[in-house]
Amino acid sequence: MPYDPRVTQLPPPPPPPLPAGPLPPPPPPVVAAAPARWRDQRALAVALVALGGVMLSAAVVLSAALANRISVVQDFKAGDFGDILNRANNADDFVDGASAFYGLTQLVIVVLFIIWQFRAAKNNEALDRPGARFGPGWSIGGWFIPLANLAIPVLIMQDLWRGATPSVPRGDPRWRSAKGSWLVGVWWGVWVISLLRFAATNSGLHGTGSLDDIETSNIIALVGVVATAIAAVFAAFVVWTLSRRQLDTLRAQRSTYEGAYEGTDAGAPPGSDA
């Protein structure tokens, strides 16, 4: 009988037992989060700067209207009653018309500014600035929370200014310790002062209050409107400067990336399509 080597080999091990229940589902695939997309702010910044000039003009016109009504009140208190009824009507009509133009301009600026700030916050993410105190959603919601809206928007603006520091590399958490902006601080301080106009009733000459009350109310409103004009100038500088700083930071990051990967097909930094 010929020799068969299979006789001396061990049999194969039995297969592992099947689980009693159904097989568990495979683990979900790991999907990398898409990088934040860069948003070009240049056109919106130009529009806000132009509207800042319109707001300045509207504030000047409303200031002149309030000053005119205050002078009518003072003449009345001094006993100058010449054509007082006609002057009172004209003064109130002047203020009403100027207030409508002022309010409409302010509404447009507020809407566009909130859009600009939200997009700037998204650009801060595209610059890979981790650990921001407020997410982009707070750039909208922070304006509508009573009392908190006196602090949240300016804190966001200072974070955006720090994030737009070209010397800080992508992903470096030290961007939070970068220097803030005095320009942002001055703009916000003047803006808060301008809110005085809401504390005044801005009562007209046909109101039921006393002449002293009407004069005081219009003086407070005048101070608030003048502060608004100054705040509009600073806001235009803030929007323009911060938009440029973010773009300069993006270019600095792209330059660093291209210098490190020169000669490769790696492409530009994630999220930068500007």
Side-chain angles (χ1 to χ4, degrees):
M1 180 177 181
Y3 171 73
D4 187 355
R6 292 176 296 177
V7 176
T8 61
Q9 293 178 353
L10 295 175
L18 295 176
L23 293 176
V30 178
V31 179
R37 182 176 62 87
W38 177 265
R39 290 161 170 80
D40 192 346
Q41 294 269 68
R42 285 170 288 191
L44 190 54
V46 170
L48 280 168
V49 170
L51 283 171
V54 177
M55 185 67 194
L56 179 60
S57 301
V60 169
V61 173
L62 182 54
S63 297
L66 290 169
N68 176 64
R69 188 155 68 181
I70 292 171
S71 69
V72 173
V73 173
Q74 292 174 343
D75 288 345
F76 192 82
K77 291 171 64 178
D80 182 3
F81 303 114
D83 199 20
I84 191 65
L85 184 59
N86 188 45
R87 291 178 60 199
N89 289 331
N90 292 338
D92 283 348
D93 291 343
F94 188 12
V95 171
D96 291 342
S99 296
F101 176 51
Y102 173 91
L104 179 61
T105 305
Q106 187 177 41
L107 177 62
V108 174
I109 289 178
V110 166
V111 172
L112 290 183
F113 185 89
I114 292 177
I115 294 173
W116 172 87
Q117 190 180 42
F118 173 78
R119 296 178 66 175
K122 297 297 288 185
N123 283 349
N124 198 52
E125 289 185 343
L127 294 174
D128 196 8
R129 299 311 195 199
R133 288 179 289 185
F134 299 95
W138 283 101
S139 300
I140 301 174
W143 288 94
F144 301 99
I145 303 175
L147 297 182
N149 56 11
L150 298 178
I152 291 178
V154 69
L155 292 176
I156 293 174
M157 291 295 293
Q158 290 289 13
D159 275 357
L160 296 180
W161 188 278
R162 294 184 180 97
T165 303
S167 60
V168 180
R170 290 180 61 86
D172 192 335
R174 291 177 296 177
W175 71 272
R176 285 288 308 275
S177 60
K179 188 177 181 180
S181 170
W182 66 267
L183 181 62
V184 172
V186 173
W187 158 68
W188 191 253
V190 179
W191 169 257
V192 171
I193 294 175
S194 72
L195 299 180
L196 285 173
R197 67 189 185 278
F198 295 115
T201 59
N202 192 19
S203 47
L205 293 169
H206 294 84
T208 58
S210 66
L211 291 176
D212 288 337
D213 291 340
I214 294 174
E215 182 180 12
T216 300
S217 174
N218 281 270
I219 289 175
I220 294 174
L222 177 59
V223 172
V225 171
V226 171
T228 301
I230 300 173
V233 174
F234 279 107
F237 277 107
V238 168
V239 168
W240 186 259
T241 306
L242 183 52
S243 298
R244 289 294 302 272
R245 279 175 60 90
Q246 285 195 326
L247 191 57
D248 290 344
T249 302
L250 176 67
R251 288 169 176 165
Q253 291 182 355
R254 173 176 290 179
S255 177
T256 301
Y257 186 92
E258 291 174 349
Y261 294 92
E262 186 175 1
T264 69
D265 297 329
S272 59
D273 57 3

